[in-house]
Each structure stands twice: as structure tokens, then as C-alpha cells.
Amino acid sequence: MVTTARLRHLGPNWYAAVMGTAIVGSAGAALPSHVRHLCAALWALSLLLLLALLAARALHWAHHRDQARQHLLDPATAPFHGCTAMALLAVGGGALSAGRYWIGTRAAVALDTVLFSAGTALGLAAAVAVPYLMVTRHRPTLADATPVWLLPLVAPMVSAALGPALVPHLPPGQSRGTLLLGCLALFGLSLLATLLMLPLLLARLLLHGPLPLALTPALFLVLGPLGQSTTATGAIADLAPGVVPAPYDRGLAVFAVLYGVPVMGFALLWLAFAAAQLVRARRRGMRFSPTWWGLTFPVGTCVTGAASLARHTGLAVYAGLAAGLYALLLLAWAAAATGTVRGLLSGVLLPAPPPARGALPAARVRTRSGAVR
């Protein structure tokens, strides 16, 4: 009972740790000179974290169903349900990019197929359900807007970026074409929804000032749809020849560059803006919180996006950018992981349950013999 009671406040935001760990392995595998076994080890760690968290969340729903329902009705927590889908997708995609060096290609394909299917279904459900709840139940104001609102909308973009890797493992013909163009549809779905949301977030910052200190790392979440969409266009273009009829296959390759270059430019602009806000918050006393995991996965998508542009343009500057961003990703992951471990060990992140109602506090009593009990 004590164990399950400590899980009462375990929310869907914890899946961000799985996403952040998985992207370190898969983004490293996207670099030209990656260390295979290190990337595979990080992917294996993300798989273990995912399994542990899925079990913990199942216990949460079984023993604290009222709190789990409250998470859906809480406007600050509901968007994090998009993290569940993205964690499944990130670990599944990492199985093919990094984990296959340890578990083999056949097992990696099977695992990715299961996690991709589940993650895509959950991502589409979150992309519909969370905005629906925001309109009908949450009714937030502009002052409540945060980059966290992007999380359920970005999940389909993660599917769009990771789905093409499964195309070569499908039978030639309709199956391959359906999956590849389905990923392109997911790309458009997520992109248009993100473009509708970003002006609200910028308006909130301009009209109401900086985010609260603890939420400042969430600014990096804006990088997620930018880097992931660049990765998606490149991945779709890579698999288009032989799957999509000419001249559309060549058109997708052109689109990957014409779209990715300006979007990556804006991503670097936002990275500088978010970093400046982070430095400001740190100087004003910002301490560690689980929002620090927002520094990992979005930066990792920019690594894979820059690596994609390096492949399609042949420019060394993008390869250098990918390596530099990966170094930043490693620093962010180390900071988030260290803070999380410390918080769990100290009980700050998952506090112990309060004493039972009516229980008397422990007392120190001195006996006749002088012993203290």
C-alpha cells in the first residue's frame, strides 16, 4: 500500500524522461561517426524506463483512478498525455536506429511495429481529445498558454518522422505507399495544428511576460515540431524512390530541402531565445524540476533534422551543426537525469503519502530505567 500510495502523484509528464533518453541514442545513431554500442545502451535504458513507467502508470490507474481522471481534467496536466504516445514512438524508432545492433534487425522491426502502431493511435487520440477538453472543460485564458500545449499536437509529427523507417520492411506495392503517404498526412496534420498554436504562445509571452521560473525550460518544446518536421520531410524523401511514382519522389526530395533549411533557421533563432530565457530564470533562482526534461527531446529532434539536411544538401555546415547540437543534448540529458535521480532518492519528486487521518505522531518517552523509546 505504501508503494502504490507514493504513485498517487505520478503523472503522464514522467514519460518525458523516456523520450529524452531514447532520443540521445537515436540522435547519436543519426550522426556520421556515432558510437554504436553507446547508442544501443542508451536505447536499452530508455526501453527499461518505458517498461517500468508503463507498469507504474498501470498501478496508478488501478489504485488512484480518481487522480488519473483528474489529470485529464487538469488543464496544466492534460497536454502531457501526448508524452505517452511520443515515449512509445521514440523507443520504437530507437529500436531500429540504435537498438538493432544489440537485439538484431528482426526483433527491432517487430518491436518498432508494435510501439509505432500503439504510439500513433494514442498520438492521434491525444491530438483530438486534449484540444476538445481544452475547449469544453478546461476553458483556459491567454495568460494560461504555455508551450506544453504543443505536446499532444507534436505526437503525430513524431510518427511522421519515425514511420518511414518501417517502409522497407513492408511488402512492395500498396503497403509501402500507404505507410509513406500516411506519414506525410501525419506531417501535415501536426504542422498545421502547430502553426495555429504558436501565435497564441508568442502572444502570451509578449502580453504577459516571461513564464514562471519552473516552466522556463518548457520554452524548448517549441523546437520539437521544428526539428521533428525537418526530420520527417527528410525521412519521407529518403524512402520515396521506388515507393512514390515519379516525379513525386523527386519532388519530395526537393521539398525536404526547401522546407527544412528555413525551418531549421527559425529553430536556431528560437533556441537562442529560449536559452536566454533559461539563463535569466537560472539567475533568478530556478531550481530543478521535471520540466528540465523539456531540454532533451526537442533538442534531439534538431540533431536529427540537421543530420537530415546534411544528407540531402551535402553541406558540412549541417553535419557540424548536428554534432554541436548533440553535445548540447548530452549536457541537457545529464543535467535532467542527475536532477531526477536526486529528486527520487530524496523523495521530493514522488513524495511519501501523508500520515493516515487520526494517527498519532510518534513520541519519545523516557522510562524509569532511563531508556528512550
Side-chain angles (χ1 to χ4, degrees), residues 139-154:
R139 306 302 295 271
T141 64
L142 181 61
D144 299 321
T146 71
V148 172
W149 288 7
L150 292 171
L151 290 174
L153 305 179
V154 178

Side-chain angles (χ1 to χ4, degrees), residues 226 230 255-269 309 318:
L226 303 177
T230 303
F255 177 68
V257 175
L258 294 182
Y259 173 86
V261 170
V263 168
M264 187 56 63
F266 178 70
L268 293 177
L269 172 66
L309 289 177
Y318 285 113

Side-chain angles (χ1 to χ4, degrees), residues 27-363:
L31 299 178
S33 57
H34 67 272
V35 182
R36 291 183 177 181
H37 292 293
L38 176 61
C39 294
L42 289 168
W43 169 81
L45 176 60
S46 71
L47 177 60
L48 293 176
L49 291 175
L50 176 63
L51 294 176
L53 192 52
L54 287 174
R57 287 286 293 167
L59 289 174
H60 182 269
W61 272 96
H63 295 275
H64 306 287
R65 191 164 299 176
D66 60 324
Q67 185 70 14
R69 290 174 177 171
Q70 184 59 34
H71 285 161
L72 282 171
L73 300 179
D74 181 5
T77 306
F80 283 102
H81 284 85
C83 292
T84 307
M86 289 188 282
L88 295 172
L89 292 166
V91 175
L96 271 180
S97 61
R100 61 188 175 93
Y101 297 114
W102 278 14
I103 65 175
T105 300
R106 179 175 297 181
V109 171
L111 180 60
D112 189 19
T113 300
V114 173
L115 295 181
F116 175 80
S117 301
T120 299
L122 286 176
L124 290 173
V128 175
V130 175
Y132 174 82
L133 289 174
M134 292 175 68
V135 172
T136 59
R137 299 293 297 270
H138 301 162
R139 306 302 295 271
T141 64
L142 181 61
D144 299 321
T146 71
V148 172
W149 288 7
L150 292 171
L151 290 174
L153 305 179
V154 178
M157 188 67 78
V158 180
S159 295
L162 299 178
L166 287 171
V167 170
H169 304 284
L170 292 175
Q174 289 288 323
S175 299
R176 293 185 178 183
T178 300
L179 177 58
L180 193 65
L181 291 185
C183 290
L184 186 60
L186 291 170
F187 162 83
L189 179 159
S190 180
L191 177 64
L192 295 177
T194 299
L195 291 177
L196 292 174
M197 188 66 71
L198 283 178
L200 295 177
L201 302 179
L202 184 59
R204 184 258 177 256
L205 293 173
L206 292 176
L207 298 178
H208 297 278
L211 294 175
L213 296 182
L215 279 177
T216 302
L219 287 170
F220 285 79
L221 295 178
V222 176
L223 297 174
L226 303 177
Q228 200 69 283
S229 61
T230 303
T231 303
T233 55
I236 292 171
D238 290 338
L239 275 299
V243 176
V244 178
Y248 302 112
D249 55 349
R250 179 57 184 165
L252 287 171
V254 173
F255 177 68
V257 175
L258 294 182
Y259 173 86
V261 170
V263 168
M264 187 56 63
F266 178 70
L268 293 177
L269 172 66
W270 190 270
L271 176 63
F273 171 75
Q277 292 287 322
L278 188 67
V279 171
R280 173 187 176 277
R282 190 66 172 162
R283 289 178 175 176
R284 283 164 171 74
M286 181 189 72
R287 298 183 178 181
F288 174 79
S289 69
T291 56
W292 282 34
W293 283 105
L295 304 173
T296 55
F297 190 81
V299 175
T301 66
C302 291
V303 174
T304 56
S308 174
L309 289 177
R311 293 196 311 272
H312 286 274
T313 64
L315 295 178
V317 64
Y318 285 113
L321 176 62
L325 290 172
Y326 190 70
L328 180 61
L329 171 61
L330 289 175
L331 291 175
W333 180 83
T338 301
T340 300
V341 171
R342 288 177 178 174
L344 289 174
L345 293 177
S346 65
V348 173
L349 295 183
L350 286 178
R357 185 173 299 178
L360 296 177

Side-chain angles (χ1 to χ4, degrees), residues 9-26:
H9 301 289
L10 183 73
N13 58 304
W14 281 90
Y15 284 105
V18 178
M19 297 161 53
T21 303
I23 197 68
V24 176
S26 56

